[in-house]
Amino acid sequence: MKKLLTLSLLFPCIFILCQKVELKTVTDSSQIFKGEIAGMPITMQLNYTGIVDCSQYQHFVDGWYYYDKYQKKIPLSGIYDYGNLYLYNFGDQQKQSFKILQDNITSPQTIEKTDSIAKRLSPKEILNFKNENSDQVLSGNFYKGTKIHNAQLFTKNNMIYRYNNYITLPNNKRINTYDFINRYGGNQLISYASDHTGHRVLLYFEHSSNFNACGMCGASEGEKGYRVLYFTKDWNYKRFEEFLTESCLSNIYDTKVVKSKDLNILKFTVNKTTSNPAYTLKVDVNNASVVKSK
């Protein structure tokens, strides 16, 4: 389905309304983490260097870590696998060994053999972290020769590649949709409005359905629709509502645009699906609101 709106044509006055609210898109391909090895504070930087096969959740990384006391960078290379990290220091052969590792890991099946493949390259040090859905830390082990030590990264989210949508609000406040909506980004600022209940921000979004291009809906046209973000009078975030106009995951297709005399009112008729009845959406740009009805 073609895009349901062209912002530059339909909303010439929106940017005047949104002077105090801005949205900035920033795609991160590198992260810095704090942590510990055997109780000694460390700093680690990891860079995204390309997916292994189909999934954005399975990719190569390289970078470094150092002990905060000494700040001498020690190279690392390896794999990010759905939150698990397999990292290796190959010493003087870092680049050559990482290239061999990349050549030998080409599918989800070979990712499962990462550790055995890497060990054949005689790494000097190994750092493995397991994603156990902790709210505070990512736990793992550090291996050097015959020594094994506990290791931790002080983060509840070690994803390296991130689609950030930063929304700057009045009162010097800023929020990131990555933290409270989802990790897909794709949001565009439409307008904002205020009343006695607080403030609202209207977003239009388009993003992929699945970070795994080989998975369900991975090669589809994605998810499209509107979101309304609700804030207190002091611009503290409360909640958001989402209204789909197209979705592979929800089987929503062929949505019709209903003509309106008021360019600031958009109407859509969404067809019935196997799991949901048909509905209509009325998007009021001036009021930064969306009304869903049968």
Side-chain angles (χ1 to χ4, degrees), residues 176-188:
N176 186 359
T177 63
Y178 179 95
D179 296 324
F180 66 93
I181 294 181
N182 61 36
R183 298 178 175 184
Y184 290 89
N187 293 286
Q188 301 174 39

Side-chain angles (χ1 to χ4, degrees), residues 79-278:
I79 291 283
Y80 174 96
D81 178 24
Y82 286 91
N84 298 324
L85 282 169
Y86 304 94
L87 306 171
Y88 306 92
N89 167 27
F90 296 107
D92 294 338
Q93 299 297 310
Q94 190 71 25
K95 291 184 179 180
Q96 299 90 325
S97 295
F98 184 37
K99 178 64 167 58
I100 295 172
L101 191 69
Q102 290 174 301
D103 291 342
N104 281 274
I105 298 177
T106 57
S107 68
Q109 291 73 30
T110 51
I111 287 176
E112 296 176 1
K113 302 176 182 178
T114 295
D115 214 40
S116 61
I117 294 172
K119 285 178 178 177
R120 292 201 295 266
L121 300 172
S122 302
K124 305 297 182 184
E125 298 175 340
I126 299 174
L127 270 165
N128 289 343
F129 296 94
K130 294 292 185 180
N131 180 17
E132 297 177 343
N133 297 316
S134 170
D135 289 335
Q136 301 296 329
V137 300
L138 195 68
S139 298
N141 291 303
F142 171 82
Y143 304 86
K144 185 171 185 178
T146 59
K147 296 180 180 179
I148 304 175
H149 299 289
N150 292 330
Q152 292 182 326
L153 294 181
F154 302 143
T155 179
K156 60 181 179 180
N157 177 17
N158 67 332
M159 197 169 183
I160 311 300
Y161 200 92
R162 303 183 186 184
Y163 296 103
N164 303 293
N165 287 171
Y166 294 105
I167 301 176
T168 302
L169 304 166
N171 300 336
N172 296 315
K173 294 182 178 181
R174 189 175 78 159
I175 58 175
N176 186 359
T177 63
Y178 179 95
D179 296 324
F180 66 93
I181 294 181
N182 61 36
R183 298 178 175 184
Y184 290 89
N187 293 286
Q188 301 174 39
L189 177 63
I190 303 302
S191 63
Y192 81 91
S194 305
D195 58 26
H196 68 282
T197 64
H199 308 285
R200 295 180 302 279
V201 172
L202 177 64
L203 305 176
Y204 173 75
F205 69 89
E206 292 187 13
H207 61 66
S208 61
S209 301
N210 190 343
F211 278 145
N212 185 351
C214 299
M216 178 181 176
C217 295
S220 71
E221 291 190 13
E223 311 296 299
K224 301 176 184 179
Y226 294 86
R227 294 182 176 119
V228 180
L229 279 54
Y230 296 89
F231 300 85
T232 66
K233 292 182 180 180
D234 294 327
W235 285 101
N236 295 316
Y237 171 74
K238 295 194 295 184
R239 61 186 177 91
F240 79 94
E241 289 184 300
E242 183 172 283
F243 306 89
L244 291 167
T245 57
E246 183 171 334
S247 170
C248 175
L249 295 174
S250 298
N251 199 30
I252 297 173
Y253 300 103
D254 301 321
T255 295
K256 296 179 181 178
V257 180
V258 181
K259 291 184 178 180
S260 173
K261 293 181 180 180
D262 187 346
L263 293 179
N264 289 312
I265 299 293
L266 300 174
K267 296 180 180 181
F268 305 94
T269 300
V270 180
N271 296 324
K272 177 182 178 181
T273 69
T274 54
S275 57
N276 293 295

